[in-house]
Amino acid sequence: MGHYYLMVFNIGQRTAVLGAFSLAGYKGPIRTLPVVSDDERMFVLDRADLGQLRDVRTLEQIVGQLLGCKVAIIESGSVALESVPFA
């Protein structure tokens, strides 16, 4: 198994990310893939939830700016890794 990084975000960043997802139309728990790089974060959503988001690519850009890393939002079924809660 690969090496995983521990990325810790402050309360302001976590709150802002939750707010960004909420404004984009998502109200559920936010999950990510295990971090394998200190400069990227992969958020995973179910297909139905992903389809409900308004402008996924803009949300990726906003969240990336909030966290200071590259961000992708993908369908949970498209990866084999187990997701973890966003923290």
Side-chain angles (χ1 to χ4, degrees), residues 18 21-31 44-45 49 52-53:
L18 292 173
F21 271 87
S22 178
L23 288 172
Y26 181 69
K27 306 295 186 203
I30 298 176
R31 300 189 62 82
V44 292
L45 299 176
D49 292 328
Q52 295 296 319
L53 286 180

Side-chain angles (χ1 to χ4, degrees), residues 15 40 58:
T15 300
E40 66 183 8
T58 298

